[in-house]
Amino acid sequence: MVLLGKLCLWVPAVFYLFAVVLGQVLKVEFSPWQIAGVSIVMSWVCSYISTKPVADANWISSLGAILKVLIMSVLGIGGLIQAFNGEVANDFSASAFAPSFQVGFAILSVMLFNLLGFEVVSGASDSMENPKKDIPKATILGGMLIAFFYLLATFGVQAALPLDQISASAGLYESLVILFGVGGAMGLVINFLAVCFMFTLVANIVNWSVGVNYVALYAAKNDDMPKVFKTTTKSGTPKGAAIWNGIVATITMVAYALIATFGGNEDLFWNVFSLGAIILLMSYVVMFPAFLKLRRIDADLERPYSVPGKPWLIRLMCLVPMLLLIGGIITFFWVPGEPFDWAYFWQVGAGTGIAILFGEVYIYKTSKPVHSGVASAKLT
């Protein structure tokens, strides 16, 4: 349920970025309502695509991955050219990369948030020919490739723009302009790469939606989520979750447009996304002790794939990310070296408390005790 909620909030945020890049390509600065309109349309497009069988939408994921590699490679090559010409915008000396506890702790939540969702692909394991082999291989190989290409692209952006001038929404396009210029054919190339980038955003959302929607469908069939998420298409793909993704994305972006237009306080809107990120991190904290318990009480259960290792190593592998997640939650409320923002704390903290209370009440009301006779029948 938390993953679905995170997806519903994350989708319009991603398409906010989509709208900004589209405006850069068209040389137009969109108003909040236009940004909301673009985000709503694209959210529903992805909701529709996510109802298609995994095999039918596979080309979107494949093409998105290829285009992402292309864009990051171009950024990296442009950054290397800048470096060879001695024109980098930031300090790349060894001292600049010296670890700093304060800086590392401040960005801990961002680093963790970027890693979350890597496991969602397992929700669609039923659609894989050999999940026991495919998922571990994809996780290791994918992790290595992601690390390499993201470092390459990050180097390109930092070679082009000073750190204090990098925009979360416009940094990619601005970096390409600085690295390659906008004159003649290069202007067309940059716009082409920007369009490719927008397609990768669509591919990311489709991939996430497919995995999370299957998780929601499975949870609903086990009475852990509302019955509406049980609905499927004729081909058996999740339908209820896809529809609700679109509905929540629409409500979220209308709220953004209203706040940005009449309230004049966009920070209040983005606090909602901070709330979603905090709740998501909190849900991952409890997943590790749950994993350890299930591994102990269901040790003999046959699984498609299992994490290898001695008991002490498995416990260590759970303890470390749990501590990092707790640290990441803390940094959402307070960053060392910066003053404590009480207004933000009460806004987001109250929202977090309400969300936890609602979740616990819902779980309590939907939990159905299993009678011993029924349980015995199932076991036999």
Side-chain angles (χ1 to χ4, degrees):
M1 191 168 185
V2 173
L3 281 174
L4 184 64
K6 186 260 186 181
L7 179 67
C8 292
L9 295 175
W10 182 57
V11 167
V14 169
F15 285 128
Y16 175 98
L17 172 60
F18 181 100
V20 170
V21 177
L22 178 61
Q24 290 175 316
V25 173
L26 299 177
K27 304 295 187 292
V28 175
E29 185 174 350
F30 288 142
S31 68
W33 282 105
Q34 289 172 324
I35 290 175
V38 171
S39 182
I40 290 170
V41 169
M42 295 308 303
S43 296
W44 279 105
V45 168
C46 286
S47 292
Y48 172 75
I49 295 175
S50 68
T51 62
K52 299 299 179 183
V54 175
D56 293 348
N58 190 49
W59 69 271
I60 296 177
S61 302
S62 300
L63 181 57
I66 293 171
L67 294 179
K68 187 177 291 187
V69 169
L70 172 65
I71 295 167
M72 291 189 289
S73 297
V74 170
L75 280 171
I77 292 172
L80 290 173
I81 294 174
Q82 288 280 95
F84 288 141
N85 293 333
E87 300 175 353
V88 292
N90 292 287
D91 181 13
F92 285 93
S93 63
S95 59
F97 288 89
S100 168
F101 175 79
Q102 181 172 335
V103 174
F105 198 70
I107 63 174
L108 178 60
S109 58
V110 177
M111 292 188 293
L112 291 172
F113 193 74
N114 286 333
L115 294 173
L116 301 185
F118 209 81
E119 79 294 340
V120 171
V121 66
S122 62
S125 58
D126 289 343
S127 302
M128 302 178 187
E129 293 183 2
N130 189 355
K132 183 176 182 179
K133 177 182 178 182
D134 294 340
I135 290 182
K137 183 172 67 175
T139 300
I140 296 173
L141 181 60
M144 294 172 62
L145 291 175
I146 288 171
F148 172 76
F149 282 107
Y150 270 76
L151 286 172
L152 185 65
T154 301
F155 171 77
V157 172
Q158 293 191 7
L161 289 170
L163 287 175
D164 58 355
Q165 296 180 21
I166 297 177
S167 167
S169 57
L172 172 73
Y173 192 87
E174 293 171 351
S175 299
L176 290 171
V177 169
I178 292 174
L179 291 172
F180 301 104
V182 292
M186 290 310 304
L188 296 175
V189 172
I190 290 175
N191 284 336
F192 170 74
L193 292 173
V195 172
C196 291
F197 174 70
M198 289 188 287
F199 184 88
T200 66
L201 296 179
V202 174
N204 283 343
I205 295 299
V206 170
N207 290 338
W208 252 88
S209 298
V210 169
V212 172
N213 290 353
Y214 271 103
V215 173
L217 175 62
Y218 177 83
K221 288 181 176 179
N222 287 275
D223 297 323
D224 292 326
M225 290 192 70
K227 294 181 179 179
V228 66
F229 296 107
K230 288 184 180 181
T231 58
T232 60
T233 63
K234 293 181 179 180
S235 58
T237 58
K239 181 180 179 181
I243 292 175
W244 273 100
N245 283 340
I247 292 173
V248 175
T250 300
I251 295 172
T252 302
M253 289 315 296
V254 170
Y256 157 75
L258 290 172
I259 292 172
T261 303
F262 302 106
N265 183 12
E266 290 194 30
D267 289 340
L268 179 61
F269 172 77
W270 293 112
N271 284 353
V272 176
F273 291 95
S274 296
L275 170 63
I278 291 169
I279 295 174
L280 184 65
L281 290 178
M282 293 175 68
S283 71
Y284 275 85
V285 173
V286 298
M287 286 174 63
F288 291 99
F291 164 78
L292 291 174
K293 181 177 180 179
L294 289 173
R295 193 178 177 95
R296 186 181 71 254
I297 65 176
D298 291 334
D300 298 328
L301 182 66
E302 184 177 351
R303 295 178 171 88
Y305 42 87
S306 179
V307 180
K310 300 285 186 180
W312 68 267
L313 180 59
I314 296 297
R315 287 193 290 270
L316 180 63
M317 291 170 61
C318 291
L319 177 62
V320 171
M322 279 181 62
L323 294 176
L324 290 174
L325 285 164
I326 293 172
I329 294 170
I330 293 173
T331 59
F332 261 107
F333 290 102
W334 172 69
V335 178
E338 296 186 8
F340 194 86
D341 188 342
W342 284 103
Y344 171 85
F345 172 78
W346 287 117
Q347 289 174 0
V348 179
T352 302
I354 293 172
I356 294 174
L357 178 63
F358 173 82
E360 292 302 317
V361 171
Y362 178 81
I363 292 172
Y364 174 77
K365 287 188 174 182
T366 55
S367 297
K368 298 179 180 179
V370 180
H371 297 291
S372 58
V374 176
S376 300
K378 288 184 177 180
L379 289 174
T380 56

